[in-house]
Every structure is written in structure tokens, then in C-alpha cells.
Amino acid sequence: MDHKLYSQIISLENLILAWKKARKGKTKKDYVIEFNNNLFKNLTQLHEELKQETYKPEPLTTFILRDPKTRKISKSTFRDRIVHHAICNVIEPVFDKTFIYDSCANRINKGNLFAIQRFCKFIRKVSRNGKINGWFNNNQVKGYCLKADIKHYFFEVNHNILINILKRKIKDEKVISLIIKVLGNGFKEKGMPLGNMTSQFFANVYLNELDQFVKHKLRAKYYIRYVDDFVVLHESKEQLVIWKKQIDSFLKESLKIELHPEKSRVISLSKGIDFVGFRNFYHYRLLRKRNVRKMLIKIKLFKENILPYEKLLESYQGWQAHAKWADSYKLRNDLSKIIGLSDFIQHY
């Protein structure tokens, strides 16, 4: 069998590129500095292990993150993250061309801003018959949205199903064997660690099956997916209720996963739709309340001399970059004044 794909993944050239990507934004971390102290030796050793097929991932480091909901994050070693990038560098382009246009997460030139823009376009198309004298308020917006996500998605991904999906495009057995090693590190038969780059990529591969079903079997025009959150818009509430049942049946039968029962429901577009970090209405967009609350808590910790100013500023800049996409000028201006950055908002 031709192992050209595997050779590309394990090449020193690709491993160097993967190392550069893995260290991005983390050059001051101790584990990166330690790896870099013997960079040539570490990369050549990794290359040799992959070449001889003796490579084994090291145990994951697991910790609990509460931000605000509790999540179990499993972190790979820096060395293993290089392998993850090396895999994705080569096989991601193979699969990306099969993804639908409105699969928005972890893809070049996509993301939550892209998802928001598509949602705004779709809400206008679905509501086009709701105008009264050329204008309407939110109570007059027509149409509905199936807002849904997958129950415990990352921990329920079936390894056998995922491998069979990958095998449709990847005929190189060595690549499949390496992927099985990565998947099996800390998980058996099902589940992927939150935090791994490969998990993010495999999440798109797995749910591309759902994307194809919704677009080509159900023929839904207005569908957007961001990781395991997705929306389907339509003029008819009844149609969305039918599609919801069909989607849940497809997920259970084909992918061994299911819709979250509490978080998957049909909502009137006039009520605003919570999607990709914002509450989206026809004419405006609001930040989630918990997003504002988190920033207020950090300001409070700063005022109580618990959080250093540098940390507060770093958090605020990240929050500001996100918040500016909502109708939040007054809020951002008020918070900037509170923390002594009255001119900060002017640059945004």
C-alpha cells in the first residue's frame, strides 16, 4: 500500500511547521522552553518514533474548568500536540473541501463572527414576509428557529463510527493507526478530550454527517453549525418540529449521539436566539448576561486587590474584542471608565 500521506505527516518539514503552530502564543511556557532547549534532538526523536511506528502518546493531564459551566478539560503534552498539528496539517485539507459552507467552527476564514453574519442574513430571508409598511419591530418578525445542541457531544463520539468516516477519504492504514492511538489516549471506544486540536477537527468530520443530512436529505436552506451548536430557520414552526424529530432519529441511529432535550427547541425569531455568544434579534444583538457578569466579577476582584491590573487589562481587551460585535457601546464605555481606560473604547 502507498503510504504517501503518512510520509507527509511524519516528515521533518511538517513536524517543524507543527512545532511552530503548537508553540504559538505559548513561547514563555516552561514546557515549550524545555522542549526548545533540545529542539533538534526532540524533533528528530519524534520523527524516528513515528517512522518506526513506536510512537505512543503520553498520559493526558485533566483539570476542571468552571467558566461558567463545569467542564472537564484533558490536556496533551506539548510533544503530543505537535503530532496533533502534524496530522491536521495534512488531512484537514482533504476533508475541508467536503464540509458545507455554513460549518463555521475551527475553519480558515470562518468562526463565530462569520456564523453571526450568516445568521443575520438568514433571519432576514425567513422574515421577508413579516414587514408592515416596509418596517417591523421584533414582535412582528415572522419565522422560527430550531436552536439545538448535542448532549455531551465530545464525550459521546463513537470511535468506530469516526474511524469508518475517516476511512472513506484516508486509505493509508498507517495514518488510521496513528489516529487510533491519538483517539485512544485516555478514552476507550467513545469520547474525545476537550482541548485537543484533533478533537476540534474530528468534531467537524463527525458532524459533517449531520450537515449533509440536513442540507441534502431534509433540504433545509437556512442551517448553520458551530461545533455541536446548530440552528435551522424556517417560516413554519410545524416544519421545524418535524425536522427536529428527524434529526434526533438520524443522530441516534447513524452517529450514536442525541439532541440535548432541554437545550433543543423551536423558538420564535421575535424572541431573540442565543447563538455563538450573543442573543440575536432582527435589528440588534445583545451580549449574554453571563458574559457581562464574568467581566464585572473580574473588575470587582481588581477593586479588592485580588486580581492584578495587568491580568484585568488582558481579560478586558479580550472581552472588548468580543463585546464590540454586540450593541454594547454604552456598556463598554462605562466599564472602561470604571477601570481607568476612558480612552480605550475610542480605539474600537
Side-chain angles (χ1 to χ4, degrees), residues 75-99:
K75 193 174 181 181
S76 294
T77 63
F78 182 67
R79 185 175 190 265
D80 290 333
R81 275 180 265 169
I82 293 173
V83 175
H84 299 168
H85 278 278
I87 292 170
C88 291
N89 285 347
V90 174
I91 70 171
E92 191 168 5
V94 175
F95 285 91
D96 191 77
K97 64 183 71 172
T98 70
F99 295 162

PDB file of all heavy atoms in Angstrom, residues 75-99:
ATOM      1  N   LYS A  75      -5.674  17.766  28.802  1.00  0.00           N
ATOM      2  CA  LYS A  75      -4.609  18.456  28.079  1.00  0.00           C
ATOM      3  C   LYS A  75      -3.484  17.491  27.707  1.00  0.00           C
ATOM      4  O   LYS A  75      -2.974  16.753  28.554  1.00  0.00           O
ATOM      5  CB  LYS A  75      -4.064  19.585  28.961  1.00  0.00           C
ATOM      6  CG  LYS A  75      -3.173  20.575  28.264  1.00  0.00           C
ATOM      7  CD  LYS A  75      -2.829  21.709  29.226  1.00  0.00           C
ATOM      8  CE  LYS A  75      -1.956  22.748  28.573  1.00  0.00           C
ATOM      9  NZ  LYS A  75      -1.613  23.830  29.520  1.00  0.00           N
ATOM     10  N   SER A  76      -3.102  17.494  26.440  1.00  0.00           N
ATOM     11  CA  SER A  76      -1.993  16.668  25.977  1.00  0.00           C
ATOM     12  C   SER A  76      -0.670  17.369  26.242  1.00  0.00           C
ATOM     13  O   SER A  76      -0.611  18.593  26.377  1.00  0.00           O
ATOM     14  CB  SER A  76      -2.127  16.389  24.481  1.00  0.00           C
ATOM     15  OG  SER A  76      -3.246  15.591  24.213  1.00  0.00           O
ATOM     16  N   THR A  77       0.405  16.591  26.289  1.00  0.00           N
ATOM     17  CA  THR A  77       1.738  17.174  26.438  1.00  0.00           C
ATOM     18  C   THR A  77       2.089  17.959  25.168  1.00  0.00           C
ATOM     19  O   THR A  77       1.497  17.742  24.107  1.00  0.00           O
ATOM     20  CB  THR A  77       2.799  16.086  26.660  1.00  0.00           C
ATOM     21  OG1 THR A  77       2.849  15.238  25.498  1.00  0.00           O
ATOM     22  CG2 THR A  77       2.486  15.256  27.898  1.00  0.00           C
ATOM     23  N   PHE A  78       3.046  18.864  25.291  1.00  0.00           N
ATOM     24  CA  PHE A  78       3.450  19.676  24.148  1.00  0.00           C
ATOM     25  C   PHE A  78       3.929  18.798  22.991  1.00  0.00           C
ATOM     26  O   PHE A  78       3.617  19.054  21.829  1.00  0.00           O
ATOM     27  CB  PHE A  78       4.553  20.656  24.565  1.00  0.00           C
ATOM     28  CG  PHE A  78       4.997  21.562  23.456  1.00  0.00           C
ATOM     29  CD1 PHE A  78       4.140  22.515  22.946  1.00  0.00           C
ATOM     30  CD2 PHE A  78       6.283  21.464  22.920  1.00  0.00           C
ATOM     31  CE1 PHE A  78       4.538  23.370  21.916  1.00  0.00           C
ATOM     32  CE2 PHE A  78       6.685  22.304  21.898  1.00  0.00           C
ATOM     33  CZ  PHE A  78       5.813  23.255  21.405  1.00  0.00           C
ATOM     34  N   ARG A  79       4.653  17.758  23.311  1.00  0.00           N
ATOM     35  CA  ARG A  79       5.162  16.829  22.299  1.00  0.00           C
ATOM     36  C   ARG A  79       4.007  16.192  21.505  1.00  0.00           C
ATOM     37  O   ARG A  79       4.059  16.099  20.270  1.00  0.00           O
ATOM     38  CB  ARG A  79       5.981  15.736  23.001  1.00  0.00           C
ATOM     39  CG  ARG A  79       6.681  14.749  22.098  1.00  0.00           C
ATOM     40  CD  ARG A  79       7.535  13.840  22.992  1.00  0.00           C
ATOM     41  NE  ARG A  79       8.428  13.001  22.210  1.00  0.00           N
ATOM     42  CZ  ARG A  79       8.136  11.759  21.839  1.00  0.00           C
ATOM     43  NH1 ARG A  79       6.973  11.224  22.169  1.00  0.00           N
ATOM     44  NH2 ARG A  79       9.011  11.047  21.143  1.00  0.00           N
ATOM     45  N   ASP A  80       2.972  15.785  22.201  1.00  0.00           N
ATOM     46  CA  ASP A  80       1.822  15.180  21.532  1.00  0.00           C
ATOM     47  C   ASP A  80       1.030  16.206  20.736  1.00  0.00           C
ATOM     48  O   ASP A  80       0.449  15.882  19.692  1.00  0.00           O
ATOM     49  CB  ASP A  80       0.921  14.495  22.556  1.00  0.00           C
ATOM     50  CG  ASP A  80       1.560  13.245  23.139  1.00  0.00           C
ATOM     51  OD1 ASP A  80       2.393  12.634  22.442  1.00  0.00           O
ATOM     52  OD2 ASP A  80       1.242  12.890  24.293  1.00  0.00           O
ATOM     53  N   ARG A  81       1.014  17.450  21.219  1.00  0.00           N
ATOM     54  CA  ARG A  81       0.308  18.492  20.470  1.00  0.00           C
ATOM     55  C   ARG A  81       0.975  18.770  19.127  1.00  0.00           C
ATOM     56  O   ARG A  81       0.310  19.133  18.152  1.00  0.00           O
ATOM     57  CB  ARG A  81       0.230  19.774  21.308  1.00  0.00           C
ATOM     58  CG  ARG A  81      -0.961  19.773  22.281  1.00  0.00           C
ATOM     59  CD  ARG A  81      -1.009  21.037  23.084  1.00  0.00           C
ATOM     60  NE  ARG A  81      -0.358  20.870  24.375  1.00  0.00           N
ATOM     61  CZ  ARG A  81      -0.076  21.872  25.186  1.00  0.00           C
ATOM     62  NH1 ARG A  81      -0.343  23.110  24.832  1.00  0.00           N
ATOM     63  NH2 ARG A  81       0.495  21.644  26.341  1.00  0.00           N
ATOM     64  N   ILE A  82       2.275  18.585  19.072  1.00  0.00           N
ATOM     65  CA  ILE A  82       2.981  18.712  17.791  1.00  0.00           C
ATOM     66  C   ILE A  82       2.479  17.650  16.816  1.00  0.00           C
ATOM     67  O   ILE A  82       2.235  17.927  15.633  1.00  0.00           O
ATOM     68  CB  ILE A  82       4.508  18.587  17.994  1.00  0.00           C
ATOM     69  CG1 ILE A  82       5.031  19.790  18.783  1.00  0.00           C
ATOM     70  CG2 ILE A  82       5.239  18.472  16.651  1.00  0.00           C
ATOM     71  CD1 ILE A  82       6.494  19.684  19.193  1.00  0.00           C
ATOM     72  N   VAL A  83       2.291  16.430  17.315  1.00  0.00           N
ATOM     73  CA  VAL A  83       1.764  15.351  16.473  1.00  0.00           C
ATOM     74  C   VAL A  83       0.349  15.683  16.001  1.00  0.00           C
ATOM     75  O   VAL A  83      -0.001  15.453  14.829  1.00  0.00           O
ATOM     76  CB  VAL A  83       1.788  14.005  17.234  1.00  0.00           C
ATOM     77  CG1 VAL A  83       1.137  12.903  16.399  1.00  0.00           C
ATOM     78  CG2 VAL A  83       3.220  13.621  17.592  1.00  0.00           C
ATOM     79  N   HIS A  84      -0.465  16.247  16.880  1.00  0.00           N
ATOM     80  CA  HIS A  84      -1.835  16.617  16.504  1.00  0.00           C
ATOM     81  C   HIS A  84      -1.824  17.615  15.355  1.00  0.00           C
ATOM     82  O   HIS A  84      -2.586  17.476  14.383  1.00  0.00           O
ATOM     83  CB  HIS A  84      -2.569  17.228  17.697  1.00  0.00           C
ATOM     84  CG  HIS A  84      -2.699  16.296  18.858  1.00  0.00           C
ATOM     85  ND1 HIS A  84      -3.098  16.713  20.107  1.00  0.00           N
ATOM     86  CD2 HIS A  84      -2.470  14.968  18.972  1.00  0.00           C
ATOM     87  CE1 HIS A  84      -3.120  15.686  20.931  1.00  0.00           C
ATOM     88  NE2 HIS A  84      -2.734  14.619  20.274  1.00  0.00           N
ATOM     89  N   HIS A  85      -0.977  18.633  15.470  1.00  0.00           N
ATOM     90  CA  HIS A  85      -0.871  19.625  14.397  1.00  0.00           C
ATOM     91  C   HIS A  85      -0.349  18.986  13.112  1.00  0.00           C
ATOM     92  O   HIS A  85      -0.805  19.328  12.014  1.00  0.00           O
ATOM     93  CB  HIS A  85       0.051  20.768  14.826  1.00  0.00           C
ATOM     94  CG  HIS A  85      -0.614  21.804  15.662  1.00  0.00           C
ATOM     95  ND1 HIS A  85      -1.367  22.824  15.132  1.00  0.00           N
ATOM     96  CD2 HIS A  85      -0.643  21.986  17.008  1.00  0.00           C
ATOM     97  CE1 HIS A  85      -1.826  23.596  16.105  1.00  0.00           C
ATOM     98  NE2 HIS A  85      -1.404  23.103  17.260  1.00  0.00           N
ATOM     99  N   ALA A  86       0.602  18.069  13.250  1.00  0.00           N
ATOM    100  CA  ALA A  86       1.167  17.397  12.076  1.00  0.00           C
ATOM    101  C   ALA A  86       0.089  16.610  11.333  1.00  0.00           C
ATOM    102  O   ALA A  86       0.034  16.634  10.091  1.00  0.00           O
ATOM    103  CB  ALA A  86       2.305  16.464  12.500  1.00  0.00           C
ATOM    104  N   ILE A  87      -0.776  15.941  12.074  1.00  0.00           N
ATOM    105  CA  ILE A  87      -1.878  15.190  11.460  1.00  0.00           C
ATOM    106  C   ILE A  87      -2.831  16.137  10.739  1.00  0.00           C
ATOM    107  O   ILE A  87      -3.173  15.943   9.569  1.00  0.00           O
ATOM    108  CB  ILE A  87      -2.640  14.374  12.530  1.00  0.00           C
ATOM    109  CG1 ILE A  87      -1.755  13.250  13.081  1.00  0.00           C
ATOM    110  CG2 ILE A  87      -3.929  13.783  11.955  1.00  0.00           C
ATOM    111  CD1 ILE A  87      -2.345  12.544  14.301  1.00  0.00           C
ATOM    112  N   CYS A  88      -3.253  17.195  11.448  1.00  0.00           N
ATOM    113  CA  CYS A  88      -4.234  18.122  10.878  1.00  0.00           C
ATOM    114  C   CYS A  88      -3.677  18.897   9.689  1.00  0.00           C
ATOM    115  O   CYS A  88      -4.422  19.201   8.750  1.00  0.00           O
ATOM    116  CB  CYS A  88      -4.739  19.079  11.954  1.00  0.00           C
ATOM    117  SG  CYS A  88      -5.767  18.265  13.214  1.00  0.00           S
ATOM    118  N   ASN A  89      -2.391  19.221   9.729  1.00  0.00           N
ATOM    119  CA  ASN A  89      -1.773  19.926   8.600  1.00  0.00           C
ATOM    120  C   ASN A  89      -2.011  19.205   7.287  1.00  0.00           C
ATOM    121  O   ASN A  89      -2.210  19.824   6.244  1.00  0.00           O
ATOM    122  CB  ASN A  89      -0.254  20.059   8.808  1.00  0.00           C
ATOM    123  CG  ASN A  89       0.118  21.114   9.828  1.00  0.00           C
ATOM    124  OD1 ASN A  89      -0.711  21.920  10.231  1.00  0.00           O
ATOM    125  ND2 ASN A  89       1.369  21.099  10.262  1.00  0.00           N
ATOM    126  N   VAL A  90      -1.983  17.878   7.341  1.00  0.00           N
ATOM    127  CA  VAL A  90      -2.039  17.072   6.118  1.00  0.00           C
ATOM    128  C   VAL A  90      -3.454  16.617   5.772  1.00  0.00           C
ATOM    129  O   VAL A  90      -3.861  16.685   4.613  1.00  0.00           O
ATOM    130  CB  VAL A  90      -1.101  15.844   6.241  1.00  0.00           C
ATOM    131  CG1 VAL A  90      -1.247  14.916   5.047  1.00  0.00           C
ATOM    132  CG2 VAL A  90       0.351  16.305   6.374  1.00  0.00           C
ATOM    133  N   ILE A  91      -4.222  16.163   6.769  1.00  0.00           N
ATOM    134  CA  ILE A  91      -5.528  15.588   6.416  1.00  0.00           C
ATOM    135  C   ILE A  91      -6.681  16.587   6.457  1.00  0.00           C
ATOM    136  O   ILE A  91      -7.728  16.344   5.853  1.00  0.00           O
ATOM    137  CB  ILE A  91      -5.863  14.349   7.282  1.00  0.00           C
ATOM    138  CG1 ILE A  91      -6.162  14.738   8.731  1.00  0.00           C
ATOM    139  CG2 ILE A  91      -4.756  13.318   7.210  1.00  0.00           C
ATOM    140  CD1 ILE A  91      -6.714  13.575   9.551  1.00  0.00           C
ATOM    141  N   GLU A  92      -6.498  17.710   7.147  1.00  0.00           N
ATOM    142  CA  GLU A  92      -7.591  18.685   7.210  1.00  0.00           C
ATOM    143  C   GLU A  92      -7.994  19.199   5.827  1.00  0.00           C
ATOM    144  O   GLU A  92      -9.197  19.271   5.527  1.00  0.00           O
ATOM    145  CB  GLU A  92      -7.230  19.861   8.130  1.00  0.00           C
ATOM    146  CG  GLU A  92      -8.407  20.762   8.435  1.00  0.00           C
ATOM    147  CD  GLU A  92      -8.126  21.736   9.570  1.00  0.00           C
ATOM    148  OE1 GLU A  92      -6.978  21.782  10.068  1.00  0.00           O
ATOM    149  OE2 GLU A  92      -9.061  22.446   9.960  1.00  0.00           O
ATOM    150  N   PRO A  93      -7.034  19.540   4.941  1.00  0.00           N
ATOM    151  CA  PRO A  93      -7.429  19.989   3.603  1.00  0.00           C
ATOM    152  C   PRO A  93      -8.207  18.934   2.815  1.00  0.00           C
ATOM    153  O   PRO A  93      -9.041  19.275   1.975  1.00  0.00           O
ATOM    154  CB  PRO A  93      -6.083  20.294   2.932  1.00  0.00           C
ATOM    155  CG  PRO A  93      -5.137  20.545   4.049  1.00  0.00           C
ATOM    156  CD  PRO A  93      -5.572  19.628   5.147  1.00  0.00           C
ATOM    157  N   VAL A  94      -7.945  17.665   3.089  1.00  0.00           N
ATOM    158  CA  VAL A  94      -8.650  16.577   2.400  1.00  0.00           C
ATOM    159  C   VAL A  94     -10.134  16.617   2.745  1.00  0.00           C
ATOM    160  O   VAL A  94     -10.996  16.428   1.873  1.00  0.00           O
ATOM    161  CB  VAL A  94      -8.050  15.204   2.787  1.00  0.00           C
ATOM    162  CG1 VAL A  94      -8.864  14.068   2.171  1.00  0.00           C
ATOM    163  CG2 VAL A  94      -6.591  15.115   2.359  1.00  0.00           C
ATOM    164  N   PHE A  95     -10.448  16.882   4.022  1.00  0.00           N
ATOM    165  CA  PHE A  95     -11.835  16.846   4.479  1.00  0.00           C
ATOM    166  C   PHE A  95     -12.531  18.195   4.361  1.00  0.00           C
ATOM    167  O   PHE A  95     -13.747  18.241   4.183  1.00  0.00           O
ATOM    168  CB  PHE A  95     -11.897  16.352   5.929  1.00  0.00           C
ATOM    169  CG  PHE A  95     -11.684  14.869   6.069  1.00  0.00           C
ATOM    170  CD1 PHE A  95     -10.407  14.366   6.261  1.00  0.00           C
ATOM    171  CD2 PHE A  95     -12.742  13.993   5.980  1.00  0.00           C
ATOM    172  CE1 PHE A  95     -10.198  13.010   6.374  1.00  0.00           C
ATOM    173  CE2 PHE A  95     -12.551  12.627   6.094  1.00  0.00           C
ATOM    174  CZ  PHE A  95     -11.272  12.128   6.288  1.00  0.00           C
ATOM    175  N   ASP A  96     -11.776  19.276   4.476  1.00  0.00           N
ATOM    176  CA  ASP A  96     -12.407  20.601   4.496  1.00  0.00           C
ATOM    177  C   ASP A  96     -13.232  20.851   3.234  1.00  0.00           C
ATOM    178  O   ASP A  96     -14.286  21.480   3.295  1.00  0.00           O
ATOM    179  CB  ASP A  96     -11.348  21.693   4.662  1.00  0.00           C
ATOM    180  CG  ASP A  96     -11.975  23.047   4.950  1.00  0.00           C
ATOM    181  OD1 ASP A  96     -12.399  23.264   6.091  1.00  0.00           O
ATOM    182  OD2 ASP A  96     -12.060  23.870   4.016  1.00  0.00           O
ATOM    183  N   LYS A  97     -12.762  20.355   2.101  1.00  0.00           N
ATOM    184  CA  LYS A  97     -13.481  20.562   0.843  1.00  0.00           C
ATOM    185  C   LYS A  97     -14.824  19.817   0.812  1.00  0.00           C
ATOM    186  O   LYS A  97     -15.675  20.123  -0.028  1.00  0.00           O
ATOM    187  CB  LYS A  97     -12.621  20.142  -0.345  1.00  0.00           C
ATOM    188  CG  LYS A  97     -12.264  18.692  -0.396  1.00  0.00           C
ATOM    189  CD  LYS A  97     -11.335  18.366  -1.574  1.00  0.00           C
ATOM    190  CE  LYS A  97      -9.951  18.912  -1.371  1.00  0.00           C
ATOM    191  NZ  LYS A  97      -8.999  18.452  -2.411  1.00  0.00           N
ATOM    192  N   THR A  98     -15.015  18.865   1.727  1.00  0.00           N
ATOM    193  CA  THR A  98     -16.286  18.132   1.791  1.00  0.00           C
ATOM    194  C   THR A  98     -17.270  18.786   2.753  1.00  0.00           C
ATOM    195  O   THR A  98     -18.442  18.410   2.785  1.00  0.00           O
ATOM    196  CB  THR A  98     -16.071  16.662   2.246  1.00  0.00           C
ATOM    197  OG1 THR A  98     -15.697  16.634   3.632  1.00  0.00           O
ATOM    198  CG2 THR A  98     -14.981  15.997   1.419  1.00  0.00           C
ATOM    199  N   PHE A  99     -16.807  19.747   3.561  1.00  0.00           N
ATOM    200  CA  PHE A  99     -17.672  20.391   4.543  1.00  0.00           C
ATOM    201  C   PHE A  99     -18.596  21.398   3.867  1.00  0.00           C
ATOM    202  O   PHE A  99     -18.234  22.010   2.850  1.00  0.00           O
ATOM    203  CB  PHE A  99     -16.844  21.122   5.605  1.00  0.00           C
ATOM    204  CG  PHE A  99     -16.001  20.217   6.470  1.00  0.00           C
ATOM    205  CD1 PHE A  99     -14.933  20.729   7.199  1.00  0.00           C
ATOM    206  CD2 PHE A  99     -16.252  18.856   6.561  1.00  0.00           C
ATOM    207  CE1 PHE A  99     -14.150  19.908   8.005  1.00  0.00           C
ATOM    208  CE2 PHE A  99     -15.476  18.021   7.354  1.00  0.00           C
ATOM    209  CZ  PHE A  99     -14.423  18.559   8.078  1.00  0.00           C
TER     210      PHE A  99
END
